[in-house]
Amino acid sequence: MQSDQPIADRARRFAVAPMMDWTTRDQRAFARCLTRRALLYTEMVTTGAILHGSPRERFLGYHDSEHPLALQLGGSEPDELAECAAIAEAWGYDEVNLNVGCPSDRVQNNLIGACLMGQPELVARCVAAMQAAVSIPVTVKCRIGIDDQDEDRDLTHFVETVAAAGCRTFIVHARKAWLQGLSPKQNRDVPPLNHPRIHHLKQMFPQLHIGSNGGLKTLDECREQLAHVDSVMVGREAYQNPWLLAGVDHALFGEADEGRTRHDVMRAFRPYLEERLAAGVRLNHITRHVLGLYSGCRGGRAFRRHLSENAHRDGAGIEVVDDALALVEAPSSALAS
């Protein structure tokens, strides 16, 4: 039986949601310069990519600074998920999360994501197989329902069934996923948020760790949710407005406010930038994740524009970032210390 001890509930208190094409290893390393405490997630990685893709470093590689770090898996074959969970543990991941929330047509056709909410017994078998293969936590990220499911009865049945297989942690997106009639983008905005349903779920299952996700934009909103659930997860706002993460450790984990500036964050990120550039990674693949750092600051638009126009050029190096930072009105505008 797996244990939740490697990641305590305190570490789960705030997490950055897994987001395709966004929560890459470069974004996660940047996020870690903003918050030491938040739990970070990979993009969803399918079992097929891990078992048959090459090299595995492409799908599983990360920087040691990213811990605590969870790998989100997409799949529905218990044996394959168990094998991938064991691989994740061997690679040093702190948690494995099963995606039962992604609404895209592509993953539905492969029986991955939100469509699995209609098959709770299969999800239970998947979770049981994964848990039998690893000692790290196995968790589930789901929706409050899909299509015409009843948000009360069917969600309760889903959680009861999967919890009976041993899952102790559920992160619930507070929107239904409409698999017929809405695009993945629309599924992030159109279905109404229903956080009270997640609050009720926690009341029904006080012995489980229940986390809330969906539409949260401020740390005050996160605190409000934490009065009702065990943890919160923030996605798009944490990516598009990364400075939000700089307040997480103080506001939600009770740590001292260090009074850091955005430039301090970029200084902390510099060694990673240089390491990745030396490894042959193109600058724009890294800097696309920092474009929102100076939103609302004088010179923030110039910062974004300079990186957008120059980071993709052949041979672009750290000097492009230094030049962009010089355009921002902030203390100590040079990136180097």
Side-chain angles (χ1 to χ4, degrees):
M1 176 66 70
Q2 58 89 41
S3 167
D4 273 354
Q5 289 308 307
I7 294 185
D9 281 351
R10 176 174 168 79
R12 280 203 186 88
R13 186 171 173 81
F14 180 96
V16 178
M19 294 173 282
M20 292 300 294
D21 297 322
W22 284 9
T23 50
T24 67
R25 63 188 298 172
D26 296 321
Q27 185 276 336
R28 298 189 309 262
F30 173 58
R32 191 54 78 207
C33 294
L34 289 150
T35 168
R36 291 190 296 269
R37 299 301 182 189
L39 174 60
L40 303 181
Y41 281 77
T42 68
E43 308 169 86
M44 182 188 71
V45 183
T46 65
T47 54
I50 294 174
L51 297 177
H52 308 298
S54 180
R56 278 186 180 158
E57 172 73 18
R58 173 185 170 193
F59 304 103
L60 297 176
Y62 62 87
H63 192 271
D64 285 343
S65 67
E66 295 176 38
H67 293 290
L69 177 63
L71 173 69
Q72 186 180 68
L73 287 174
S76 58
E77 170 52 52
D79 290 342
E80 292 182 354
L81 284 164
E83 184 176 355
C84 289
I87 292 169
E89 183 173 36
W91 274 68
Y93 281 91
D94 302 298
E95 173 187 305
V96 178
N97 177 267
L98 180 61
N99 185 318
V100 190
C102 181
S104 82
D105 293 338
R106 180 169 57 88
V107 299
Q108 285 182 58
N109 294 335
N110 292 303
L111 203 58
I112 296 171
C115 62
L116 289 172
M117 291 209 69
Q119 301 193 46
E121 291 78 12
L122 174 57
V123 175
R125 293 197 299 274
C126 291
V127 166
M130 294 163 73
Q131 288 184 326
V134 300
S135 61
I136 58 176
V138 174
T139 67
V140 167
K141 186 175 188 296
C142 64
R143 294 271 184 147
I144 58 174
I146 55 172
D147 297 331
D148 293 323
Q149 280 188 334
D150 185 280
E151 291 181 8
D152 290 318
R153 183 184 63 250
D154 290 314
L155 178 60
T156 298
H157 175 63
F158 176 85
V159 172
E160 281 179 336
T161 303
V162 180
C167 184
R168 314 311 300 163
T169 301
F170 295 81
I171 301 98
V172 187
H173 188 130
R175 286 187 175 92
K176 265 192 173 184
W178 287 94
L179 305 182
Q180 304 297 325
L182 292 182
S183 70
K185 182 178 185 301
Q186 290 172 319
N187 265 300
R188 292 193 292 268
D189 295 296
V190 175
L193 286 165
N194 188 0
H195 282 286
R197 179 62 187 98
I198 306 176
H199 304 167
H200 182 54
L201 193 69
K202 177 59 185 177
Q203 294 169 359
M204 295 181 67
F205 299 97
Q207 76 279 16
L208 300 179
H209 181 107
I210 303 295
S212 189
N213 169 229
L216 301 176
K217 295 183 179 297
T218 70
L219 296 182
D220 284 341
E221 291 175 351
C222 291
R223 273 192 292 259
E224 291 173 6
Q225 289 300 313
L226 289 169
H228 305 283
V229 296
D230 298 301
S231 62
V232 292
M233 177 181 278
V234 178
R236 283 173 289 167
E237 188 67 20
Y239 186 88
Q240 295 167 344
N241 175 28
W243 188 241
L244 173 80
L245 298 177
V248 165
D249 296 353
H250 174 62
L252 302 183
F253 290 87
E255 298 200 351
D257 185 353
E258 298 177 350
R260 290 180 301 159
T261 68
R262 290 167 170 84
H263 276 50
D264 292 331
V265 170
M266 289 302 294
R267 289 191 193 93
F269 192 47
R270 186 187 186 101
Y272 178 87
L273 265 168
E274 293 177 327
E275 179 182 323
R276 292 287 278 164
L277 288 171
V281 178
R282 292 182 65 90
L283 181 65
N284 63 311
H285 291 174
I286 309 169
T287 56
R288 69 186 178 98
H289 303 296
V290 311
L291 294 178
L293 180 62
Y294 289 94
S295 293
C297 297
R298 188 169 304 218
R301 289 183 180 178
F303 171 83
R304 290 193 301 274
R305 183 171 59 249
H306 188 82
L307 288 180
S308 298
E309 293 177 352
N310 295 283
H312 69 281
R313 301 182 187 278
D314 289 341
I318 197 73
E319 70 283 349
V320 173
V321 182
D322 287 330
D323 292 343
L325 283 164
L327 300 171
V328 182
E329 184 176 297
S332 185
S333 61
L335 177 56
S337 57

